[in-house]
């Protein structure tokens, strides 16, 4: 057994990994790591990426084995030739740490290789929203443990969302009456039912593409209920709640009911997730930040 980090997402939760016969056969959350015990589904499935019976034992070229020195010389020569021809060369892949990151940094310093990190389940929409709303180049953290009402616009907070372990633990506390003396309600607003939506108390399916209008309508209703007159008031002045209800297919009375819960209690509104962000993913995320 040894301690390590999960690479299922860039959150890099602490893990305890069991090694047997030269390979990792099981992985679980490290109770002594700041991320605490437990591991999400992405972390468990990342185990599959750690071992394969047909995995290459070393570098190859044309099906023939090479030494590491020969392989690196070929890569260096190929990158240098491309750059000499006026081409831009970049490495595209997931966020990396450890030896892979060190190799990429070495190639960047020696032959000018650019690094472009991208995740299929990444946070681009939410990061763009945070920059727009808060001027911060980081994703917000969502504390669900004290929320009486949790509204989600499609984030799979119980499954594959970024930082899902923190939200899973918070959700379990919010649903446990012995923890805070209440049981949180979960409202899912999205056109599909996923893992998180299946555990919701209320599910509303807006017409696809109208999620942003619904979120802005909730923000408008909450602002009116609380007498909000802050810097974002001008953004909400032109929001038509009735038009949003008609476009989304969700009754206006239901929107007012949800907004009443949000305005009266400690609440959290989660944005959309990578699986359903659509072309207006950042706009929906900004609207949820406004509600919060």
């Amino acid at each position: 057994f040894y301690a390590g980090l999960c690479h299922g997402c860039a959150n890099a939760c602490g893990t305890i990994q069991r090694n047997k016969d030269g390979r990792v056969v099981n992985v679980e959350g490290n109770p002594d790591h700041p991320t605490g015990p437990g591991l999400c589904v992405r972390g468990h499935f990342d185990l599959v990426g750690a071992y394969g019976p047909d995995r290459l034992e070393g570098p190859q070229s044309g099906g023939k084995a090479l030494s590491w020195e020969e392989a690196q010389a070929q890569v260096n020569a190929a990158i240098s030739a491309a750059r000499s021809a006026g081409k831009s060369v970049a490495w595209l892949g997931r966020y990396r740490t450890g030896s892979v990151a060190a190799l990429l940094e070495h190639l960047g310093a020696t032959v000018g290789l650019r690094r472009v990190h991208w995740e299929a389940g990444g946070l681009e929409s939410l990061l763009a929203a945070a920059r727009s709303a808060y001027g911060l180049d980081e994703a917000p953290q969502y504390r669900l443990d004290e929320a009486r009402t949790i509204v989600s616009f499609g984030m799979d907070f119980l499954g594959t969302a970024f930082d899902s372990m923190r939200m899973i633990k918070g959700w379990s506390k919010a649903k446990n009456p012995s923890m805070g003396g209440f049981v949180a309600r979960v409202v899912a607003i999205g056109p599909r039912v996923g893992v998180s939506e299946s555990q919701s108390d209320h599910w509303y399916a807006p017409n696809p593409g109208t999620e942003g209008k619904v979120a802005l309508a909730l923000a408008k209703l909450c602002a009116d209920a609380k007498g909000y007159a802050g810097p974002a008031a001008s953004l909400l002045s032109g929001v038509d709640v009735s038009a949003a209800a008609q476009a989304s297919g969700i009754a206006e009375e239901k929107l007012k009911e949800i907004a009443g819960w949000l305005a009266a209690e400690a609440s959290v509104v989660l944005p959309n997730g990578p699986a359903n962000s659509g072309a207006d993913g950042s706009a929906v995320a900004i609207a949820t930040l406004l509600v919060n």
Side-chain angles (χ1 to χ4, degrees):
F1 295 86
Y2 65 93
L5 293 176
C6 173
H7 295 285
C9 76
N11 204 44
C13 291
T15 59
I16 294 293
Q17 306 187 29
R18 182 188 179 202
N19 187 75
K20 181 181 180 182
D21 299 331
R23 69 183 183 95
V24 177
V25 295
N26 188 47
V27 61
E28 191 48 83
N30 185 351
D32 296 322
H33 191 270
T35 56
L39 201 62
C40 77
V41 63
R42 289 175 68 175
H44 282 291
F45 271 102
D46 195 52
L47 174 65
V48 180
Y51 173 77
D54 301 319
R55 186 175 185 172
L56 298 178
E57 296 182 357
Q60 293 187 2
S61 176
K64 297 181 179 180
L66 297 177
S67 68
W68 283 105
E69 292 75 16
E70 291 173 323
Q72 186 161 336
Q74 287 192 15
V75 172
N76 289 346
I79 295 175
S80 298
R83 288 177 58 82
S84 298
K87 298 178 181 179
S88 179
V89 182
W91 179 90
L92 174 65
R94 296 169 58 185
Y95 299 105
R96 294 295 188 182
T97 59
S99 58
V100 176
L103 174 62
L104 294 174
E105 291 174 1
H106 171 73
L107 291 174
T110 55
V111 296
L113 179 70
R114 295 172 54 225
R115 296 165 59 180
V116 180
H117 293 289
W118 179 83
E119 293 265 6
L123 301 171
E124 283 74 15
S125 293
L126 184 56
L127 287 171
R131 284 192 291 268
S132 177
Y134 303 137
L136 298 175
D137 194 23
E138 59 184 276
Q141 292 183 347
Y142 294 93
R143 289 284 305 274
L144 307 186
D145 53 323
E146 296 181 4
R148 302 293 183 94
T149 298
I150 302 169
V151 176
S152 174
F153 279 84
M155 178 183 281
D156 188 15
F157 62 96
L158 297 181
T160 58
F162 175 78
D163 203 20
S164 62
M165 276 312 303
R166 184 196 306 271
M167 291 189 285
I168 289 172
K169 293 173 183 177
W171 170 82
S172 65
K173 290 180 179 179
K175 280 291 188 180
N176 187 347
S178 64
M179 297 298 295
F182 65 90
V183 176
R185 67 171 64 86
V186 178
V187 181
I189 301 176
R192 64 182 291 271
V193 175
V195 173
S196 301
E197 287 82 4
S198 69
Q199 298 298 313
S200 64
D201 302 292
H202 307 272
W203 172 58
Y204 301 101
N207 294 321
T210 63
E211 295 89 341
K213 295 181 179 180
V214 174
L216 285 175
L218 292 178
K220 171 68 172 176
L221 290 168
C222 289
D224 292 344
K226 300 181 75 68
Y228 174 77
S234 59
L235 298 175
L236 301 174
S237 60
V239 175
D240 188 334
V241 176
S242 298
Q246 184 174 4
S248 66
I250 301 177
E252 185 173 351
E253 292 74 17
K254 293 295 183 182
L255 295 180
K256 291 180 178 179
E257 182 181 35
I258 298 170
W261 295 333
L262 293 173
E265 304 168 328
S267 306
V268 173
V269 179
L270 302 174
N272 44 346
N276 63 346
S277 61
D280 62 342
S282 295
V284 177
I286 289 173
T288 62
L289 293 178
L290 284 176
V291 186
N292 283 313

